[in-house]
Amino acid sequence: MGVADASLVEIVPGAYAWVQPEGGWWVNNAGLVAAGDGAQAMVVDTCVSSERTRRFLSAAAEATGGAPVRVAVNTHQHGDHTYGNHLLPADTLIAAQEKAREGMVQDPFFDDVPRVWEPMPDWSDAVRRPPGLTFREALTLHLGGVRAEVRHPGHTAHTPGDAVVWLPEQGVLYAGDLVFNRVTPLVFMGSLEGARRSLEWVAGFGADHLVPGHGALLEGAGIERSLDEHDRYYAFVAETAAAGRRAGVGPLEAARGADLGAFASWPDAERIVLNLHRAYADAEGREMDMVAAFTDALAYTGGPLACDA
Ligand SMILES: [Zn+2]
């Protein structure tokens, strides 16, 4: 799978997902909402590289007959969802939760990312473009008759500033990285406990269609199935961390000793090491050591982390 395998899928009339297989490291999904009056459009997230973002925006323009992108929402701070922001029109208003904006402004990865992936994703031509509009809990957009509710779960989950975009009339939820569909969930820059708690909140929207931050689109009973899988995975990480701490071993040893079972088949399984680093840090009430976490993830895989971006 590569850049050319991405496609714009119309989920229901006017609500689209930009789906980028296979959804591993730095390869995200994004969204497009066409206004009811056809005069404007909104996007949900951009992509890591200019090539991926240009493909997305060009497919969006084609689908909407060139309707101008007036508004964009970033679901969180991570670069695979935001580094393409600079390619949005200059007059596009970008919105995000206030902690997501803080994270984007301070993001050390933008200029100096740990070179742990192979091949490395490329955003060397990107210009930092943080959101111009922030909110704490909620924001509602009215796009020519289409209501789009942007909501923060109220606590740290995947990151401190996560947001979802909910189209109540269409039953479509853009969940960002609160949901990874059969791609290993990542919580190292957030909270394991908070990510687990956010699952019930996501379920509460009662969505018919859900666009995960990574992985294939979900609908109907598949949504509940996926949220259950997340819950089992997070429980597994919590139990592995607790057992490792009881045994007096670090996150790497705990990961090596754990049987991932069915989770081993999900892309980016080595995230268990990063997630355990988060779980240990939270249990011990200290900051997570990012360098140690990546060093251990490399030791776990025995080489660079596979990347398709
Ligand atoms: Zn993310």
Side-chain angles (χ1 to χ4, degrees), residues 76 78 80-81 158-159 177 180 214:
H76 63 293
H78 284 155
D80 46 342
H81 301 257
H158 172 69
T159 62
D177 282 1
F180 290 75
H214 298 260

Side-chain angles (χ1 to χ4, degrees), residues 178 180 185 192-193 195-200 223-239 263 266:
L178 296 181
F180 290 75
L192 175 63
E193 182 271 333
R196 196 173 180 193
R197 193 146 50 96
S198 74
L199 299 173
E200 206 169 315
I223 297 172
E224 196 186 335
R225 184 269 300 157
S226 179
L227 296 177
D228 285 348
E229 286 175 351
H230 282 72
D231 192 56
R232 286 199 293 279
Y233 179 76
Y234 294 145
F236 171 74
V237 176
E239 285 155 18
F263 304 129
W266 290 354

Side-chain angles (χ1 to χ4, degrees), residues 18-236:
W18 179 245
V19 181
Q20 301 199 102
E22 300 277 345
W25 282 113
W26 300 100
V27 180
N28 69 318
N29 295 327
L32 166 71
V33 180
D37 56 8
Q40 56 177 315
M42 172 180 81
V43 299
V44 181
D45 287 333
T46 54
C47 310
V48 66
S49 67
S50 291
E51 185 182 4
R52 285 186 180 275
T53 300
R54 281 201 186 96
R55 281 174 180 267
F56 168 42
L57 295 178
S58 122
E62 197 175 318
T64 60
V69 178
R70 297 269 188 236
V71 192
V73 174
N74 286 139
T75 58
H76 63 293
Q77 71 193 62
H78 284 155
D80 46 342
H81 301 257
T82 62
Y83 286 170
N85 280 2
H86 68 108
L87 294 173
L88 291 166
D91 60 357
T92 301
L93 182 61
I94 305 175
Q97 207 275 345
E98 62 181 11
K99 286 180 183 157
R101 184 182 190 282
E102 257 177 59
M104 281 179 244
V105 170
Q106 296 164 0
D107 177 11
F109 282 15
F110 186 84
D111 294 316
D112 186 20
V113 70
R115 304 194 70 81
V116 299
W117 291 277
E118 181 61 46
M120 280 299 294
D122 179 18
W123 59 85
S124 50
D125 61 340
V127 179
R128 215 186 275 257
R129 181 162 168 203
L133 175 69
T134 59
F135 62 93
R136 286 192 181 157
E137 296 301 329
L139 180 71
T140 300
L141 300 161
H142 302 271
L143 305 153
V146 175
R147 182 182 173 91
E149 300 179 1
V150 190
R151 298 284 182 267
H152 170 61
H155 54 83
T156 297
H158 172 69
T159 62
D162 301 307
V164 302
V165 177
W166 168 232
L167 309 181
E169 281 135 46
Q170 290 76 5
V172 175
L173 185 70
Y174 297 92
D177 282 1
L178 296 181
V179 179
F180 290 75
N181 185 11
R182 290 186 168 160
V183 172
T184 308
L186 183 63
V187 299
F188 78 131
M189 287 173 74
S191 157
L192 175 63
E193 182 271 333
R196 196 173 180 193
R197 193 146 50 96
S198 74
L199 299 173
E200 206 169 315
W201 180 77
V202 168
F205 286 93
D208 299 314
H209 303 270
L210 187 148
V211 180
H214 298 260
L217 300 180
L218 289 161
E219 60 179 9
I223 297 172
E224 196 186 335
R225 184 269 300 157
S226 179
L227 296 177
D228 285 348
E229 286 175 351
H230 282 72
D231 192 56
R232 286 199 293 279
Y233 179 76
Y234 294 145
F236 171 74

